[in-house]
Amino acid sequence: MRALLEIILMALQLYVYLIVASAILSWLVAFNVVNTRNELVRQILTFLDAVTQPALRPIRNILPNLGGVDISPVILILLIIFIQKLIQDYLLPIAF
């Protein structure tokens, strides 16, 4: 049981890294630092969008329009950190 919880914690941490990478890459594309005509960049962008958008979309639907500022990745990361702390503080101590 403990090993399963540790794997879940690692997967959540990996997802946080993917959210950060997606946000950074979207900024680089928005400021024309990265060329989206490059096949590798397009594949990475497509992968990150496919992985992060299903979790970010419901948050974006709830949040009001903030004038071009997207704080949904921050909210999702805080939610993931909250879930990680719940697992670490309440489930790991009782897992054998």
Side-chain angles (χ1 to χ4, degrees):
M1 179 72 170
R2 186 171 182 87
L4 179 64
L5 291 174
E6 293 287 341
I7 290 173
I8 291 171
L9 287 173
M10 283 189 280
L12 288 172
Q13 190 62 41
L14 177 65
Y15 198 70
V16 168
Y17 293 146
L18 290 174
I19 294 168
V20 171
S22 175
I24 290 172
L25 189 60
S26 70
W27 293 340
L28 292 175
V29 168
F31 293 121
N32 289 327
V33 175
V34 176
N35 186 3
T36 56
R37 290 183 222 154
N38 186 342
E39 185 64 32
L40 178 64
V41 173
R42 191 174 333 120
Q43 286 179 355
I44 293 172
L45 189 61
T46 304
F47 169 74
L48 289 175
D49 281 344
V51 171
T52 58
Q53 289 306 316
L56 292 173
R57 194 174 304 117
I59 297 171
R60 287 183 181 140
N61 289 339
I62 294 172
L63 290 178
N65 187 3
L66 298 175
V69 178
D70 185 18
I71 61 167
S72 59
V74 175
I75 293 173
L76 183 58
I77 289 172
L78 290 175
L79 183 65
I80 290 173
I81 291 172
F82 177 72
I83 292 170
Q84 286 176 327
K85 291 301 280 179
L86 284 178
I87 291 173
Q88 289 173 348
D89 293 344
Y90 294 110
L91 294 179
L92 276 179
I94 61 172
F96 50 89

Coordinates of all heavy atoms in Angstrom, one line a residue:
M1 N 0.8 -1.2 0.0 CA 0.0 0.0 0.0 C 0.9 1.3 0.0 O 0.6 2.2 -0.7 CB -0.9 0.0 1.2 CG -1.8 1.1 1.4 SD -3.1 1.1 0.2 CE -4.1 2.4 0.7
R2 N 1.9 1.2 0.8 CA 2.8 2.4 0.9 C 3.5 2.7 -0.4 O 3.7 3.8 -0.8 CB 3.8 2.1 2.0 CG 4.7 3.3 2.3 CD 5.5 3.1 3.5 NE 6.3 4.2 3.8 CZ 6.0 5.3 4.6 NH1 4.7 5.3 5.0 NH2 6.8 6.3 4.8
A3 N 3.9 1.6 -1.2 CA 4.5 1.8 -2.4 C 3.6 2.4 -3.5 O 4.0 3.3 -4.2 CB 5.0 0.4 -3.0
L4 N 2.3 2.0 -3.4 CA 1.3 2.6 -4.3 C 1.2 4.1 -4.0 O 1.1 5.0 -4.9 CB 0.0 1.9 -4.2 CG -1.1 2.4 -5.0 CD1 -0.8 2.3 -6.5 CD2 -2.4 1.8 -4.6
L5 N 1.1 4.5 -2.7 CA 1.0 5.9 -2.4 C 2.2 6.7 -2.8 O 2.1 7.8 -3.2 CB 0.8 6.0 -0.9 CG -0.6 5.5 -0.3 CD1 -0.6 5.6 1.2 CD2 -1.7 6.3 -1.0
E6 N 3.4 6.1 -2.7 CA 4.6 6.8 -3.1 C 4.6 7.0 -4.6 O 5.0 8.0 -5.1 CB 5.9 5.9 -2.7 CG 6.1 5.9 -1.3 CD 6.6 7.2 -0.7 OE1 7.1 8.0 -1.4 OE2 6.5 7.3 0.6
I7 N 4.1 6.0 -5.4 CA 4.0 6.2 -6.9 C 3.0 7.3 -7.2 O 3.3 8.1 -8.1 CB 3.6 4.8 -7.5 CG1 4.8 3.8 -7.4 CG2 3.2 5.0 -8.9 CD1 4.4 2.4 -7.8
I8 N 1.9 7.4 -6.5 CA 0.9 8.4 -6.7 C 1.6 9.8 -6.4 O 1.4 10.7 -7.2 CB -0.3 8.2 -5.8 CG1 -1.1 7.0 -6.3 CG2 -1.2 9.4 -5.8 CD1 -2.2 6.5 -5.4
L9 N 2.3 9.9 -5.3 CA 3.0 11.1 -5.0 C 4.0 11.5 -6.1 O 4.1 12.7 -6.5 CB 3.7 11.0 -3.7 CG 2.8 11.1 -2.5 CD1 3.6 10.8 -1.2 CD2 2.1 12.4 -2.3
M10 N 4.8 10.6 -6.6 CA 5.7 10.8 -7.7 C 5.0 11.3 -9.0 O 5.4 12.2 -9.7 CB 6.6 9.6 -8.0 CG 7.7 9.4 -7.0 SD 8.8 8.2 -7.5 CE 7.9 6.7 -7.0
A11 N 3.8 10.6 -9.3 CA 3.1 11.0 -10.5 C 2.5 12.4 -10.3 O 2.5 13.2 -11.3 CB 1.9 10.0 -10.7
L12 N 2.1 12.8 -9.2 CA 1.6 14.1 -9.0 C 2.7 15.1 -9.1 O 2.5 16.2 -9.7 CB 0.9 14.2 -7.6 CG -0.4 13.5 -7.4 CD1 -0.9 13.6 -5.9 CD2 -1.5 14.2 -8.3
Q13 N 3.9 14.8 -8.6 CA 5.0 15.7 -8.8 C 5.4 15.9 -10.2 O 5.7 17.0 -10.7 CB 6.2 15.3 -7.9 CG 7.3 16.3 -7.8 CD 6.8 17.6 -7.2 OE1 6.1 17.6 -6.2 NE2 7.3 18.7 -7.7
L14 N 5.4 14.8 -11.0 CA 5.7 14.8 -12.4 C 4.6 15.7 -13.1 O 5.0 16.5 -14.0 CB 5.7 13.4 -13.0 CG 5.9 13.3 -14.5 CD1 7.3 13.8 -14.8 CD2 5.7 11.9 -14.9
Y15 N 3.4 15.6 -12.7 CA 2.3 16.4 -13.4 C 2.5 17.9 -13.1 O 2.3 18.7 -14.0 CB 1.0 15.9 -12.9 CG -0.2 16.4 -13.8 CD1 -0.3 15.9 -15.1 CD2 -1.1 17.3 -13.4 CE1 -1.3 16.3 -15.9 CE2 -2.1 17.8 -14.2 CZ -2.2 17.2 -15.5 OH -3.2 17.7 -16.3
V16 N 3.0 18.2 -11.9 CA 3.3 19.6 -11.6 C 4.4 20.1 -12.6 O 4.3 21.2 -13.1 CB 3.8 19.8 -10.1 CG1 4.4 21.2 -9.9 CG2 2.6 19.6 -9.2
Y17 N 5.4 19.3 -12.8 CA 6.5 19.7 -13.7 C 6.0 19.9 -15.1 O 6.4 20.8 -15.8 CB 7.6 18.6 -13.7 CG 8.4 18.5 -12.4 CD1 8.9 17.3 -12.0 CD2 8.6 19.6 -11.6 CE1 9.6 17.2 -10.9 CE2 9.3 19.5 -10.5 CZ 9.8 18.3 -10.1 OH 10.6 18.2 -8.9
L18 N 5.0 19.0 -15.5 CA 4.4 19.2 -16.9 C 3.6 20.4 -17.0 O 3.6 21.1 -18.0 CB 3.6 17.9 -17.2 CG 4.3 16.6 -17.4 CD1 3.3 15.5 -17.6 CD2 5.2 16.8 -18.7
I19 N 2.9 20.8 -15.9 CA 2.1 22.1 -15.9 C 3.1 23.3 -16.0 O 2.8 24.2 -16.8 CB 1.3 22.2 -14.6 CG1 0.2 21.1 -14.6 CG2 0.6 23.5 -14.5 CD1 -0.5 20.9 -13.3
V20 N 4.2 23.2 -15.3 CA 5.1 24.4 -15.4 C 5.7 24.4 -16.8 O 5.9 25.5 -17.3 CB 6.2 24.2 -14.3 CG1 7.3 25.2 -14.5 CG2 5.6 24.4 -12.9
A21 N 6.1 23.3 -17.3 CA 6.7 23.3 -18.7 C 5.7 23.8 -19.7 O 6.1 24.5 -20.6 CB 7.2 21.9 -19.0
S22 N 4.4 23.4 -19.5 CA 3.4 23.9 -20.5 C 3.2 25.4 -20.4 O 3.1 26.1 -21.4 CB 2.1 23.2 -20.2 OG 1.1 23.7 -21.0
A23 N 3.2 25.9 -19.2 CA 3.1 27.4 -19.0 C 4.3 28.1 -19.6 O 4.1 29.1 -20.3 CB 2.9 27.7 -17.5
I24 N 5.5 27.6 -19.3 CA 6.7 28.3 -19.8 C 6.7 28.3 -21.4 O 7.0 29.2 -22.0 CB 7.9 27.7 -19.2 CG1 8.0 28.0 -17.7 CG2 9.2 28.1 -20.0 CD1 9.1 27.3 -17.0
L25 N 6.4 27.1 -21.9 CA 6.4 27.0 -23.4 C 5.3 27.9 -24.0 O 5.5 28.5 -25.1 CB 6.2 25.5 -23.8 CG 6.4 25.2 -25.3 CD1 7.8 25.6 -25.7 CD2 6.1 23.8 -25.6
S26 N 4.2 28.0 -23.3 CA 3.1 28.9 -23.9 C 3.6 30.3 -23.9 O 3.3 31.1 -24.8 CB 1.8 28.7 -23.1 OG 1.9 29.3 -21.8
W27 N 4.3 30.7 -22.8 CA 4.9 32.1 -22.8 C 5.9 32.3 -23.9 O 5.9 33.3 -24.6 CB 5.6 32.4 -21.5 CG 4.6 32.5 -20.3 CD1 3.3 32.7 -20.3 CD2 5.0 32.3 -19.0 NE1 2.8 32.6 -19.0 CE2 3.8 32.4 -18.2 CE3 6.2 32.0 -18.3 CZ2 3.9 32.3 -16.8 CZ3 6.2 31.9 -16.9 CH2 5.1 32.1 -16.2
L28 N 6.8 31.3 -24.1 CA 7.8 31.4 -25.2 C 7.1 31.5 -26.6 O 7.6 32.2 -27.4 CB 8.7 30.2 -25.1 CG 9.6 30.1 -23.9 CD1 10.4 28.8 -23.9 CD2 10.5 31.3 -23.9
V29 N 6.0 30.8 -26.8 CA 5.3 30.8 -28.0 C 4.6 32.2 -28.2 O 4.6 32.8 -29.2 CB 4.3 29.7 -28.2 CG1 3.3 29.9 -29.3 CG2 5.0 28.4 -28.3
A30 N 4.0 32.7 -27.1 CA 3.4 34.0 -27.1 C 4.3 35.1 -27.4 O 3.9 36.1 -28.1 CB 2.6 34.2 -25.8
F31 N 5.5 35.1 -27.0 CA 6.5 36.1 -27.2 C 7.4 35.9 -28.4 O 8.4 36.5 -28.6 CB 7.4 36.4 -25.9 CG 6.6 36.9 -24.8 CD1 6.5 36.3 -23.6 CD2 5.9 38.1 -24.9 CE1 5.8 36.8 -22.5 CE2 5.2 38.6 -23.8 CZ 5.1 38.0 -22.7
N32 N 7.0 34.9 -29.2 CA 7.8 34.5 -30.4 C 9.2 34.2 -30.2 O 10.1 34.5 -31.0 CB 7.6 35.6 -31.5 CG 6.2 35.7 -32.1 OD1 5.6 34.7 -32.2 ND2 5.8 36.9 -32.4
V33 N 9.5 33.6 -29.1 CA 10.9 33.1 -28.8 C 11.1 31.8 -29.5 O 12.1 31.5 -30.0 CB 11.1 33.0 -27.3 CG1 12.5 32.5 -27.0 CG2 11.0 34.4 -26.7
V34 N 10.0 31.0 -29.5 CA 10.1 29.6 -30.0 C 9.2 29.6 -31.3 O 8.1 30.1 -31.4 CB 9.5 28.6 -29.0 CG1 9.5 27.2 -29.6 CG2 10.3 28.6 -27.8
N35 N 9.8 29.0 -32.3 CA 9.1 28.9 -33.6 C 8.2 27.7 -33.6 O 8.7 26.5 -33.5 CB 10.1 28.8 -34.8 CG 9.4 28.9 -36.1 OD1 8.2 29.0 -36.2 ND2 10.2 28.8 -37.1
T36 N 6.9 27.9 -33.8 CA 6.0 26.7 -33.7 C 5.9 25.9 -35.0 O 5.3 24.9 -35.1 CB 4.5 27.2 -33.4 OG1 4.1 28.2 -34.3 CG2 4.4 27.7 -32.0
R37 N 6.6 26.4 -36.0 CA 6.7 25.7 -37.3 C 7.7 24.6 -37.2 O 7.7 23.7 -38.1 CB 7.1 26.6 -38.4 CG 6.0 27.6 -38.8 CD 6.4 28.4 -40.0 NE 5.9 29.8 -39.7 CZ 6.4 30.8 -40.2 NH1 7.4 30.8 -41.0 NH2 5.9 32.0 -39.9
N38 N 8.6 24.6 -36.2 CA 9.5 23.5 -35.9 C 8.7 22.3 -35.5 O 7.9 22.4 -34.6 CB 10.5 24.0 -34.9 CG 11.6 22.9 -34.7 OD1 11.5 21.8 -35.0 ND2 12.7 23.4 -34.0
E39 N 9.0 21.2 -36.1 CA 8.2 19.9 -35.8 C 8.4 19.5 -34.4 O 7.4 19.1 -33.7 CB 8.7 18.8 -36.8 CG 7.9 17.6 -36.7 CD 6.4 17.7 -37.0 OE1 6.1 18.6 -37.9 OE2 5.6 17.0 -36.4
L40 N 9.6 19.5 -33.8 CA 9.8 19.1 -32.5 C 9.1 20.0 -31.5 O 8.5 19.5 -30.6 CB 11.3 19.1 -32.1 CG 11.7 18.7 -30.7 CD1 11.3 17.3 -30.4 CD2 13.2 19.0 -30.5
V41 N 9.2 21.3 -31.7 CA 8.4 22.2 -30.8 C 6.9 22.0 -30.9 O 6.2 22.0 -29.9 CB 8.8 23.7 -31.2 CG1 7.9 24.6 -30.4 CG2 10.3 23.9 -30.9
R42 N 6.4 21.7 -32.1 CA 5.0 21.5 -32.3 C 4.6 20.2 -31.6 O 3.5 20.1 -30.9 CB 4.6 21.4 -33.7 CG 3.2 21.4 -34.0 CD 2.7 21.5 -35.4 NE 3.7 22.2 -36.3 CZ 4.2 21.6 -37.4 NH1 3.9 20.4 -37.7 NH2 5.1 22.3 -38.1
Q43 N 5.4 19.2 -31.6 CA 5.1 17.9 -31.0 C 5.1 18.1 -29.5 O 4.2 17.5 -28.8 CB 6.0 16.8 -31.4 CG 5.8 16.3 -32.8 CD 6.8 15.2 -33.2 OE1 7.7 14.9 -32.4 NE2 6.6 14.7 -34.4
I44 N 6.1 18.8 -28.9 CA 6.1 19.0 -27.5 C 4.9 19.8 -27.0 O 4.3 19.5 -26.0 CB 7.5 19.7 -27.1 CG1 8.6 18.7 -27.4 CG2 7.5 20.1 -25.7 CD1 10.0 19.4 -27.2
L45 N 4.6 20.9 -27.8 CA 3.5 21.7 -27.4 C 2.2 20.9 -27.5 O 1.3 21.0 -26.6 CB 3.4 22.9 -28.4 CG 2.4 24.0 -28.1 CD1 2.7 24.6 -26.7 CD2 2.4 25.1 -29.1
T46 N 2.0 20.1 -28.5 CA 0.8 19.2 -28.6 C 0.7 18.3 -27.5 O -0.4 18.1 -26.9 CB 0.8 18.5 -30.0 OG1 0.9 19.4 -31.0 CG2 -0.4 17.7 -30.1
F47 N 1.8 17.6 -27.1 CA 1.8 16.7 -26.0 C 1.5 17.4 -24.7 O 0.6 16.9 -23.9 CB 3.2 16.0 -25.9 CG 3.4 15.2 -24.6 CD1 2.7 14.0 -24.4 CD2 4.1 15.7 -23.6 CE1 2.9 13.3 -23.2 CE2 4.3 15.0 -22.4 CZ 3.7 13.8 -22.2
L48 N 2.1 18.5 -24.4 CA 1.9 19.2 -23.2 C 0.4 19.7 -23.1 O -0.2 19.7 -22.0 CB 2.8 20.4 -23.0 CG 4.3 20.0 -22.7 CD1 5.2 21.2 -22.6 CD2 4.4 19.2 -21.4
D49 N -0.1 20.2 -24.2 CA -1.5 20.6 -24.2 C -2.5 19.4 -24.0 O -3.4 19.6 -23.3 CB -1.9 21.3 -25.6 CG -1.4 22.7 -25.6 OD1 -1.1 23.3 -24.6 OD2 -1.3 23.3 -26.7
A50 N -2.2 18.3 -24.6 CA -3.0 17.1 -24.5 C -3.0 16.6 -23.0 O -4.0 16.1 -22.5 CB -2.6 16.0 -25.4
V51 N -1.9 16.8 -22.3 CA -1.8 16.3 -21.0 C -2.4 17.3 -20.0 O -3.0 16.8 -19.0 CB -0.3 16.0 -20.7 CG1 -0.1 15.7 -19.2 CG2 0.2 14.8 -21.5
T52 N -2.1 18.6 -20.2 CA -2.5 19.5 -19.1 C -3.9 20.1 -19.3 O -4.6 20.5 -18.4 CB -1.5 20.7 -19.0 OG1 -1.4 21.3 -20.3 CG2 -0.2 20.1 -18.6
Q53 N -4.4 20.2 -20.6 CA -5.7 20.9 -20.8 C -6.9 20.2 -20.2 O -7.8 20.9 -19.7 CB -5.9 21.1 -22.3 CG -5.0 22.1 -23.0 CD -5.0 23.4 -22.3 OE1 -6.1 23.9 -21.9 NE2 -3.9 24.0 -22.1
P54 N -7.0 18.9 -20.1 CA -8.2 18.3 -19.4 C -8.3 18.7 -17.9 O -9.4 18.8 -17.4 CB -7.9 16.8 -19.6 CG -7.1 16.7 -20.8 CD -6.2 17.9 -20.8
A55 N -7.2 19.0 -17.3 CA -7.2 19.4 -15.9 C -7.4 20.9 -15.7 O -8.0 21.4 -14.8 CB -6.0 18.9 -15.1
L56 N -6.9 21.6 -16.7 CA -7.0 23.1 -16.6 C -8.3 23.7 -17.1 O -8.7 24.7 -16.6 CB -5.8 23.7 -17.4 CG -4.4 23.5 -16.9 CD1 -3.4 24.1 -17.8 CD2 -4.3 24.2 -15.5
R57 N -8.9 23.0 -18.0 CA -10.2 23.5 -18.6 C -11.3 23.7 -17.6 O -11.9 24.8 -17.6 CB -10.6 22.6 -19.7 CG -11.7 23.2 -20.6 CD -12.1 22.3 -21.8 NE -10.9 21.9 -22.6 CZ -10.4 20.7 -22.8 NH1 -11.0 19.7 -22.2 NH2 -9.4 20.5 -23.5
P58 N -11.6 22.8 -16.7 CA -12.6 23.1 -15.7 C -12.3 24.3 -14.8 O -13.2 25.0 -14.4 CB -12.7 21.8 -14.9 CG -12.1 20.7 -15.7 CD -11.1 21.4 -16.6
I59 N -11.0 24.4 -14.5 CA -10.7 25.6 -13.6 C -10.9 26.9 -14.4 O -11.3 27.9 -13.9 CB -9.2 25.4 -13.2 CG1 -9.1 24.2 -12.3 CG2 -8.7 26.7 -12.4 CD1 -7.6 23.8 -12.0
R60 N -10.5 26.9 -15.7 CA -10.7 28.1 -16.5 C -12.2 28.4 -16.7 O -12.5 29.6 -16.8 CB -10.0 27.9 -17.9 CG -8.5 27.9 -17.8 CD -7.9 27.8 -19.2 NE -6.5 27.8 -19.1 CZ -5.6 27.1 -19.7 NH1 -6.1 26.2 -20.6 NH2 -4.3 27.2 -19.6
N61 N -13.0 27.4 -16.7 CA -14.5 27.6 -16.9 C -15.0 28.3 -15.6 O -16.0 29.1 -15.7 CB -15.2 26.4 -17.2 CG -14.9 25.8 -18.6 OD1 -14.5 26.6 -19.4 ND2 -15.1 24.6 -18.8
I62 N -14.5 28.0 -14.4 CA -15.0 28.6 -13.2 C -14.4 30.0 -13.0 O -15.2 30.8 -12.5 CB -14.6 27.6 -12.0 CG1 -15.3 26.3 -12.2 CG2 -14.9 28.3 -10.7 CD1 -14.8 25.2 -11.2
L63 N -13.2 30.2 -13.3 CA -12.6 31.5 -13.0 C -13.2 32.6 -13.9 O -13.5 32.4 -15.1 CB -11.1 31.5 -13.3 CG -10.2 30.6 -12.3 CD1 -8.8 30.6 -12.8 CD2 -10.3 31.2 -10.9
P64 N -13.3 33.8 -13.3 CA -13.7 35.0 -14.2 C -12.6 35.4 -15.1 O -11.4 35.1 -14.9 CB -14.0 36.0 -13.1 CG -13.2 35.7 -12.0 CD -13.1 34.2 -11.9
N65 N -12.9 36.2 -16.1 CA -11.9 36.7 -17.0 C -11.1 37.7 -16.3 O -11.5 38.7 -15.8 CB -12.6 37.3 -18.2 CG -11.6 37.7 -19.3 OD1 -10.4 37.4 -19.2 ND2 -12.2 38.3 -20.4
L66 N -9.8 37.5 -16.3 CA -8.8 38.4 -15.6 C -8.0 39.2 -16.6 O -7.0 39.7 -16.3 CB -7.9 37.6 -14.7 CG -8.5 36.8 -13.6 CD1 -7.5 35.9 -12.9 CD2 -9.3 37.7 -12.7
G67 N -8.5 39.4 -17.8 CA -7.9 40.3 -18.8 C -6.6 39.7 -19.3 O -5.6 40.4 -19.4
G68 N -6.6 38.5 -19.7 CA -5.4 37.9 -20.4 C -4.5 37.2 -19.4 O -3.5 36.6 -19.9
V69 N -4.7 37.3 -18.2 CA -3.8 36.6 -17.2 C -4.5 35.3 -16.8 O -5.6 35.2 -16.4 CB -3.7 37.5 -15.9 CG1 -2.8 36.8 -14.9 CG2 -3.1 38.8 -16.3
D70 N -3.8 34.2 -17.0 CA -4.3 32.9 -16.8 C -3.6 32.3 -15.5 O -2.5 32.0 -15.5 CB -4.0 32.0 -18.0 CG -4.6 30.6 -17.8 OD1 -5.5 30.5 -17.0 OD2 -4.2 29.7 -18.5
I71 N -4.4 32.3 -14.4 CA -3.9 31.8 -13.2 C -4.3 30.3 -12.9 O -4.1 29.8 -11.8 CB -4.3 32.7 -12.0 CG1 -5.8 32.7 -11.8 CG2 -3.7 34.0 -12.1 CD1 -6.2 33.3 -10.5
S72 N -4.9 29.7 -13.9 CA -5.4 28.3 -13.7 C -4.2 27.3 -13.4 O -4.4 26.4 -12.6 CB -6.2 27.9 -14.9 OG -5.5 27.9 -16.1
P73 N -3.1 27.5 -14.0 CA -2.0 26.6 -13.7 C -1.5 26.7 -12.2 O -1.3 25.7 -11.5 CB -0.8 27.0 -14.6 CG -1.5 27.6 -15.8 CD -2.7 28.3 -15.2
V74 N -1.6 27.9 -11.7 CA -1.2 28.2 -10.3 C -2.2 27.5 -9.4 O -1.8 26.9 -8.4 CB -1.1 29.7 -10.0 CG1 -0.8 29.9 -8.5 CG2 0.0 30.3 -10.9
I75 N -3.5 27.7 -9.7 CA -4.5 27.0 -8.9 C -4.4 25.5 -8.9 O -4.6 24.9 -7.9 CB -5.9 27.5 -9.3 CG1 -6.1 29.0 -9.0 CG2 -7.0 26.7 -8.7 CD1 -7.3 29.7 -9.6
L76 N -4.2 25.0 -10.1 CA -4.0 23.5 -10.2 C -2.8 23.0 -9.4 O -2.9 22.0 -8.8 CB -3.9 23.1 -11.7 CG -3.9 21.6 -11.9 CD1 -5.1 20.9 -11.4 CD2 -3.8 21.3 -13.4
I77 N -1.7 23.7 -9.5 CA -0.5 23.3 -8.8 C -0.8 23.4 -7.3 O -0.4 22.5 -6.5 CB 0.7 24.2 -9.2 CG1 1.1 23.8 -10.6 CG2 1.8 24.0 -8.2 CD1 2.2 24.8 -11.1
L78 N -1.5 24.4 -6.8 CA -1.8 24.5 -5.4 C -2.7 23.4 -5.0 O -2.6 22.8 -3.9 CB -2.5 25.9 -5.1 CG -1.5 27.1 -5.1 CD1 -2.3 28.3 -4.9 CD2 -0.4 26.9 -4.1
L79 N -3.7 23.0 -5.8 CA -4.6 21.9 -5.5 C -3.8 20.6 -5.5 O -4.0 19.7 -4.6 CB -5.7 21.8 -6.6 CG -6.7 20.7 -6.4 CD1 -7.5 21.0 -5.2 CD2 -7.6 20.7 -7.7
I80 N -2.8 20.4 -6.4 CA -2.0 19.2 -6.3 C -1.1 19.1 -5.1 O -1.0 18.1 -4.5 CB -1.2 19.1 -7.6 CG1 -2.0 18.8 -8.8 CG2 -0.1 18.0 -7.5 CD1 -1.3 18.9 -10.2
I81 N -0.6 20.3 -4.7 CA 0.2 20.3 -3.5 C -0.7 20.0 -2.3 O -0.2 19.2 -1.3 CB 0.9 21.7 -3.3 CG1 2.0 21.9 -4.4 CG2 1.5 21.9 -1.9 CD1 2.5 23.2 -4.4
F82 N -1.9 20.4 -2.2 CA -2.8 20.1 -1.2 C -3.1 18.6 -1.1 O -3.1 18.0 0.0 CB -4.1 20.9 -1.4 CG -5.2 20.6 -0.3 CD1 -5.1 21.0 1.0 CD2 -6.3 19.8 -0.7 CE1 -6.0 20.7 1.9 CE2 -7.3 19.6 0.2 CZ -7.1 20.0 1.5
I83 N -3.3 18.0 -2.3 CA -3.5 16.6 -2.3 C -2.3 15.8 -1.9 O -2.4 14.8 -1.1 CB -4.0 16.1 -3.7 CG1 -5.4 16.7 -4.1 CG2 -4.0 14.6 -3.9 CD1 -5.8 16.6 -5.5
Q84 N -1.1 16.2 -2.3 CA 0.1 15.6 -1.8 C 0.3 15.7 -0.3 O 0.6 14.7 0.3 CB 1.3 16.2 -2.5 CG 1.5 15.9 -3.9 CD 2.6 16.6 -4.6 OE1 2.9 17.8 -4.2 NE2 3.3 16.0 -5.5
K85 N 0.0 16.8 0.3 CA 0.1 17.0 1.7 C -0.9 16.1 2.4 O -0.6 15.5 3.5 CB -0.1 18.4 2.1 CG 1.0 19.3 1.7 CD 2.3 18.9 2.3 CE 2.5 19.4 3.7 NZ 3.8 18.9 4.3
L86 N -2.1 15.9 1.9 CA -3.1 15.0 2.5 C -2.6 13.6 2.5 O -2.7 12.9 3.5 CB -4.4 15.1 1.7 CG -5.3 16.4 2.0 CD1 -6.6 16.3 1.1 CD2 -5.7 16.5 3.5
I87 N -2.0 13.2 1.4 CA -1.5 11.8 1.3 C -0.4 11.6 2.2 O -0.3 10.6 3.0 CB -1.1 11.5 -0.2 CG1 -2.3 11.4 -1.1 CG2 -0.3 10.2 -0.2 CD1 -2.0 11.3 -2.5
Q88 N 0.5 12.6 2.3 CA 1.7 12.5 3.2 C 1.3 12.5 4.6 O 1.9 11.8 5.4 CB 2.7 13.6 2.9 CG 3.4 13.4 1.6 CD 4.3 14.6 1.2 OE1 4.2 15.7 1.8 NE2 5.1 14.5 0.2
D89 N 0.4 13.3 5.0 CA 0.1 13.5 6.4 C -0.9 12.5 7.0 O -0.8 12.1 8.1 CB -0.4 14.9 6.7 CG 0.7 16.0 6.5 OD1 1.9 15.6 6.4 OD2 0.3 17.2 6.3
Y90 N -1.8 12.1 6.1 CA -2.9 11.2 6.6 C -2.9 9.8 6.1 O -3.3 8.9 6.8 CB -4.3 11.8 6.3 CG -4.5 13.2 7.0 CD1 -4.5 14.3 6.3 CD2 -4.6 13.2 8.4 CE1 -4.6 15.6 7.0 CE2 -4.8 14.4 9.1 CZ -4.8 15.6 8.4 OH -5.0 16.8 9.0
L91 N -2.4 9.5 4.9 CA -2.5 8.2 4.4 C -1.2 7.4 4.6 O -1.2 6.2 4.9 CB -2.9 8.2 2.9 CG -4.3 8.7 2.6 CD1 -4.5 8.7 1.1 CD2 -5.3 7.8 3.3
L92 N 0.0 8.1 4.4 CA 1.2 7.4 4.5 C 1.5 6.9 6.0 O 2.0 5.8 6.1 CB 2.4 8.3 4.0 CG 2.7 8.3 2.6 CD1 3.8 9.2 2.2 CD2 3.0 6.9 2.0
P93 N 1.2 7.7 7.0 CA 1.5 7.1 8.4 C 0.7 5.9 8.7 O 1.2 5.1 9.5 CB 1.1 8.3 9.3 CG 1.2 9.5 8.4 CD 0.8 9.1 7.1
I94 N -0.5 5.7 8.1 CA -1.3 4.5 8.5 C -1.1 3.4 7.5 O -1.5 2.3 7.7 CB -2.8 4.8 8.6 CG1 -3.3 5.3 7.2 CG2 -3.1 5.8 9.6 CD1 -4.8 5.5 7.2
A95 N -0.4 3.6 6.4 CA -0.1 2.6 5.4 C 1.0 1.7 6.0 O 2.0 2.2 6.5 CB 0.3 3.2 4.1
F96 N 0.9 0.4 5.8 CA 1.9 -0.5 6.3 C 2.8 -1.0 5.2 O 2.6 -0.9 4.1 CB 1.3 -1.6 7.1 CG 0.2 -2.4 6.4 CD1 0.5 -3.4 5.5 CD2 -1.1 -2.0 6.5 CE1 -0.5 -4.1 4.9 CE2 -2.1 -2.6 5.9 CZ -1.8 -3.7 5.0

